Amino acid sequence: MVLGCLVVVSACSGGDGGGASGAAGADGNPGSGGGNAGTSGIAGSGNAGVGGGGIAGSAAGNDGRGGAGQAGSGTAGDGPGTGGGPGTGGGPGTGGVTGGGGVTGAAGRGGTSGGGVTGTGGVTGAAGRGGSAGGTAGGAGTAGRGGAGGGAGSAGGAGAGGAPTTFVCNQVTAMTLTREWFEAGFQTNPGIVDARWQLKAREHGYITEWANPNSDFWNEMIESPCANGSTNPDHVVLTVLSWVPACCTTQPEWDAQITAAINTFKAKYSALKRIDLMTVIRGPNNMLCPTAPAAGETIVIPPELDAALAAAATKFPNFVFVAPKFEAPNCAAFSGGGPHLTTAGNTAVAKNISAAFVNLQ
């Protein structure tokens, strides 16, 4: 019976100009000779100033002189758009159509809206608030600095725990089943730093051996030792297993052995900062395959063991963690009914495991 146990000792910018929110300039006068409905009234012809909203021209000519004006295309001003309020007093152009002053975009206020948004034609509201002048709808205003939407906010850094964690030496600990996938390409998979990984595994490396500080298993030679810290790893990946009924059946029995093993690792390795607990490779969906597994062994992890692993992580917060529940990709990955995998199966599993630990090494 060959078992494998691993221990890896183990805002947006406010758009400088926004341009969009400035309506026709403050107190834009009606077109000359036009009164409020004057034919050539300039409905707030002020260029977009700080936060400006572009020329709310009325006319067919330039700047709203003479007729049913075009909405100004409002080049955004240099400053943030916070100062640009809607034009007050911009008189309507010819035919009672409001000069199309600054467009609606509230650019500059948090950069949520781009400058120079195309005005909606024909709205009789106050210039700059909801509408361009009648006639030709204003073209899309030139976006202010920081433009439409103010630009995406810069991406935040990785959250706490999101950045890769660097250890001096990561030790995979356990049994033959562990050795098989470790030697099937784990250290050469993308992202894995070979010089920071080593293996301490022995046949029948059950949890009872690692829980016992006097077990001869602790004298097992290191394979592929870390470049530094090999005798005192700071990260351990431990495969928890025992197929000896006298060891563990109930969760309390698993709890006792796992806790003892954790404390023994802490005593053996003064540099230890983290332990990741995992199980042997499970069958697909944690179920048996059509071919029966080796006698006395299985590819189905009992719920009592999973519960004990979770309990250990709770008992040792920020020190003990539970690794993903790695499964074989299919029953063909097993040699017979398992638990040993074929060469191809171990290679496939090694890729999944290395991907899980690429930021924990």
Side-chain angles (χ1 to χ4, degrees):
M1 163 169 53
V2 185
L3 304 179
C5 179
L6 60 133
V7 172
V8 177
V9 176
S10 64
C12 304
S13 88
D16 282 347
S21 65
D27 294 315
N29 295 318
S32 61
N36 284 335
T39 59
S40 60
I42 300 174
S45 62
N47 290 326
V50 174
I55 299 173
S58 55
N62 294 324
D63 297 332
R65 290 187 180 82
Q70 294 177 338
S73 61
T75 300
D78 290 338
T82 56
T88 59
T94 300
V97 181
T98 303
V103 278
T104 306
R109 292 196 180 109
T112 56
S113 175
V117 181
T118 303
T120 57
V123 178
T124 312
R129 179 168 305 186
S132 302
T136 305
T142 302
R145 291 188 180 93
S154 57
T165 300
T166 300
F167 295 101
V168 175
C169 181
N170 305 268
Q171 177 174 296
V172 174
T173 305
M175 59 207 71
T176 301
L177 288 172
T178 303
R179 177 186 288 110
E180 289 176 352
W181 61 253
F182 187 87
E183 295 178 347
F186 172 83
Q187 291 174 288
T188 59
N189 283 330
I192 292 297
V193 182
D194 183 18
R196 295 208 295 262
W197 285 93
Q198 65 184 28
L199 174 70
K200 190 181 188 73
R202 182 167 169 177
E203 187 175 3
H204 299 162
Y206 294 152
I207 189 64
T208 48
E209 299 295 342
W210 306 112
N212 178 7
N214 299 316
S215 172
D216 183 59
F217 280 57
W218 287 101
N219 298 321
E220 187 67 21
M221 294 293 293
I222 295 294
E223 297 179 39
S224 183
C226 296
N228 297 292
S230 179
T231 61
N232 193 12
D234 51 350
H235 179 207
V236 167
V237 175
L238 174 64
T239 301
V240 178
L241 176 69
S242 178
W243 281 318
V244 177
C247 161
C248 311
T249 301
T250 67
Q251 182 183 336
E253 290 173 335
W254 285 111
D255 286 338
Q257 294 296 331
I258 293 170
T259 298
I262 291 169
N263 287 326
T264 301
F265 274 103
K266 292 172 66 177
K268 295 284 185 180
Y269 302 138
S270 61
L272 191 57
K273 298 177 182 177
R274 176 176 175 130
I275 296 177
D276 282 272
L277 303 175
M278 61 179 287
T279 67
V280 295
I281 307 305
R282 304 163 189 244
N285 297 316
N286 198 31
M287 297 177 66
L288 293 172
C289 289
T291 302
E297 302 176 5
T298 186
I299 56 175
V300 176
I301 302 304
E304 293 83 2
L305 173 53
D306 279 335
L309 298 180
T314 300
K315 185 182 297 185
F316 297 92
N318 301 315
F319 179 69
V320 173
F321 299 83
V322 180
K325 299 175 181 179
F326 298 109
E327 297 180 353
N330 49 55
C331 286
F334 287 107
S335 177
H340 292 277
L341 295 157
T342 63
T343 299
N346 276 308
T347 299
V349 165
K351 289 180 179 179
N352 292 337
I353 297 174
S354 60
F357 286 103
V358 74
N359 286 334
L360 289 171
Q361 59 174 334

